[in-house]
Amino acid sequence: MVRQELKKLVIYGFFLAIIITPMVGFKNNDFDAARVLQTLAVLIGLLVLNLIVKLVRSKRPQRAPGHKAWGERVRERIEQIPKVFTLGGLILITAMFPVFADNYMIDVAITCLIYITLGLGLNIVVGLCGLLDLGYIAFYAVGAYTYSLLNLKLGLSFWAALPIGVVLGMTCGCIIGYPTLKMRGDYLAIVTLGFGEIIRLVLNNWDSLTAGPNGLFGMQRAALYYPTFQDGGLSWAVYNIKSLPSLYYLIYIIVILTIIGVRRLDNSRIGRAWVAIREDETAAELSGVPTTWIKLLAYALGAGFASVAGAFFAAKLSYTNPNFFLFMESCIVLCIVVLGGVGSIPGIIVAGIVLIAAPEIFRGLESYRMLAFGGIMTTMMVLKPEGLIPAKRHKREFIETKSNE
Amino acid sequence: MLLEFGIMNQLVLQNVSKKFGGLLAVNQLDLEVPENKILSLIGPNGAGKTTVFNMITGVYPPSNGSITFKGKKLNKLRSSKIVARGIARTFQNIRLFKSMTVLENVLVGMHCRSKSGAIRALLKTPFEVKEEKNITRKSLEILEFMGLADFCNDYASNLPYGGQRRLEIARALAAQPQIILLDEPAAGMNPRETADLMDLIIKLRDTGLTIFLVEHDMRLVMGISEIVIVLDYGQKIAQGTPQEIQQNETVIEAYLGTGAKTAS
């Protein structure tokens, strides 16, 4: 075992030396042996470290068959605590967040929450139904622009424009969904990618309606109406959701509603049909699931959630611009879903926080920021290929339901 | 379409052909499946048995001819509609939804017998809650019948092989069909499991189901079938009771080649 590993180490080192020497050694046409040796030493040091870790691991006693992984045990422990404390505590802490955080932190938190909404929406399409969608951000754009245009041209308020935006987003979802119904895998990804770009290009070039790359600005904020009894009679006062804490609470409510919605869908007849399609489309169809409709429904609902996030985004900034909806954004949302654990709601929440907050934490690194971001992503995928918190299917407690009847 | 015994033919294939490019997989097949019988379709490899199943269940439409179920044409319906009409099937190579629990697999089979859509699920209306309870109860009954109730919260992929085969049948039963098509249900089973399966099939028939089998295991076919149909190169070469088929010379020839009889 040790011998084998040492042999490997020598071979790896040899190859490294061959590759590294010309790459690192030449600087301004002068060969610098010290540089090569330094780099090689660091890399070989890493390999040796790896070897030591491997050896230590192999010395460890074999796990008993009933032994559970560390994560599994933590999960069970947490599940033992009554939900009122765990879930309630979590809700309380997140709800209190704006009280002790500064504006910058709240702003980042709002962005996190927007991406969590998007991730949860995309989770329906990618996670549950298994349709790889690379143009998801298009629906976010539809939501944002629908609200902007309705507000600027017709003067509709946020709450009136929201359902219209959702319906429009869902329609767009069906439009993209329909031609791709018979496609699978890579082909589907390419078509959705194209659709995402089409939407962005339309927004970018339809100057008369969308003001092109300049974007739209001056939208009203979302507002709350409440009755007052000043000036004698009853009248409605307006509270504009403009300050960061109030925006935080608005998106916070949206996220909670989205979580409840996605969770309910997941454990419903429709959710089961989605998972069945993901697992085996032919078998699902032959078990009586009308796959065409169910897939369209996944697109439509996923797009609906994205539209809500988009409308919020437009109302928050009071500005939209086609460059907010680049392909990169679709990628980040997809990363959130995959990294969190495909189909897993808590996973997506954690991944959303990690992936959006991490680049902010690394802001000090300046241009190496995205490198750190990539590093985190790669490490997470290597360590936990099935996602941070892998999805688990809902299990039922029959004893409980029986006693209820 | 009454037979001489006064039994309706549930499923009728008339002059059905299927071409894949230049290959004639099924050639002008006429076939009747009478109600509440166990009917087996046998034949050498590549005779077109699974193709017949695929055409009946709408995986692909027949090139020619008509398939009627209880007097209504099925030709152009999509598979999920055909299941809703009352024809369910299992697969030759197990095709369960592996990352779902055993119970959920059966619940998916109930899809065409339940109604709640996305809006009802989002709002969790009383209708949806009641329906969920209802289909869960029915699914548990089916699992109990198939001897899988103890595994209902396990992932389908964790079931032993025989259990997975039974879960496939359970999922098909969940659609509450009138005919169930079993595509090589005994494939890979040991003699004991096969014997259990035979009992199960008879039990299913006794509940009023029609069973249509494709099978290679002759002990199972000859042991429980009431009608056996033999297919060779996409054509029906014989039909009759198991005894008749065992003595049929064309069948022996198809299976063992010409001269088999003289050799024995």
Side-chain angles (χ1 to χ4, degrees), chain B residues 22-93:
Chain B
L23 178 79
L24 198 58
V26 175
N27 188 9
Q28 299 186 330
L29 179 71
D30 288 309
L31 192 152
E32 289 107 30
V33 184
E35 204 175 326
N36 205 5
K37 295 267 177 198
I38 299 174
L39 182 136
S40 292
L41 186 63
I42 63 170
N45 284 329
K49 298 166 305 226
T50 300
T51 311
V52 171
F53 268 23
N54 283 345
M55 283 191 291
I56 294 171
T57 52
V59 175
Y60 30 69
S63 312
N64 266 319
S66 74
I67 300 173
T68 44
F69 177 61
K70 293 198 292 186
K72 280 184 186 148
K73 260 199 167 191
L74 294 181
N75 285 33
K76 281 183 181 151
L77 286 182
R78 48 178 311 157
S79 302
S80 51
K81 285 263 168 63
I82 293 174
V83 178
R85 291 270 175 97
I87 303 178
R89 74 172 284 182
T90 65
F91 300 93
Q92 191 175 340
N93 37 349

Side-chain angles (χ1 to χ4, degrees), chain A residues 261 264 268-269 272-273 275-276 278-280 282-283 285-287 289-292 392-393 395-396 398, chain B residues 78-80 83 91 95 98-100 104 107 111 114-116 121-123 132 135-136 152-153 155 171:
Chain A
R264 282 185 175 176
S268 75
R269 167 176 176 260
R272 287 190 298 267
V275 179
R278 181 185 78 195
E279 293 292 307
D280 189 333
T282 317
E285 176 79 36
L286 284 163
S287 302
V289 176
T291 46
T292 325
K392 243 183 172 182
R393 294 303 300 172
K395 296 195 174 166
R396 296 174 189 232
F398 296 107
Chain B
R78 48 178 311 157
S79 302
S80 51
V83 178
F91 300 93
R95 299 183 80 160
K98 291 207 170 73
S99 73
M100 298 173 95
E104 281 181 314
L107 285 171
H111 191 94
S114 42
K115 283 207 289 263
S116 303
L122 278 171
L123 301 176
E132 280 288 302
I135 59 175
T136 310
C152 68
N153 269 336
Y155 286 107
R171 185 177 67 189

Side-chain angles (χ1 to χ4, degrees), chain A residues 149-219:
Chain A
L149 289 170
L150 285 175
N151 187 260
L152 291 176
K153 310 255 154 160
L154 301 175
L156 283 182
S157 76
F158 180 78
W159 305 109
L162 195 63
I164 301 174
V166 171
V167 170
L168 241 140
M170 287 171 93
T171 317
C172 280
C174 291
I175 291 170
I176 164 83
Y178 189 74
T180 60
L181 283 174
K182 290 200 170 151
M183 294 178 193
R184 287 176 198 190
D186 316 352
Y187 304 100
L188 178 67
I190 293 167
V191 173
T192 50
L193 172 68
F195 180 79
E197 286 301 289
I198 288 170
I199 293 262
R200 191 178 64 81
L201 289 172
V202 166
L203 294 176
N204 210 9
N205 293 301
W206 194 351
D207 285 343
S208 56
L209 188 71
T210 66
N214 294 330
L216 295 167
F217 49 87
M219 286 82 79

Side-chain angles (χ1 to χ4, degrees), chain B residues 10 34-37 145 173 177-180 201-211:
Chain B
Q10 263 186 319
E35 204 175 326
N36 205 5
K37 295 267 177 198
F145 181 83
L173 288 177
Q178 284 146 317
I179 298 189
I180 183 163
I201 292 173
I202 291 168
K203 235 163 81 186
L204 281 176
R205 199 271 317 269
D206 293 342
T207 63
L209 266 174
T210 310
I211 316 272

Side-chain angles (χ1 to χ4, degrees), chain B residues 257-264:
Chain B
T258 41
K261 200 149 192 227
T262 48
S264 67

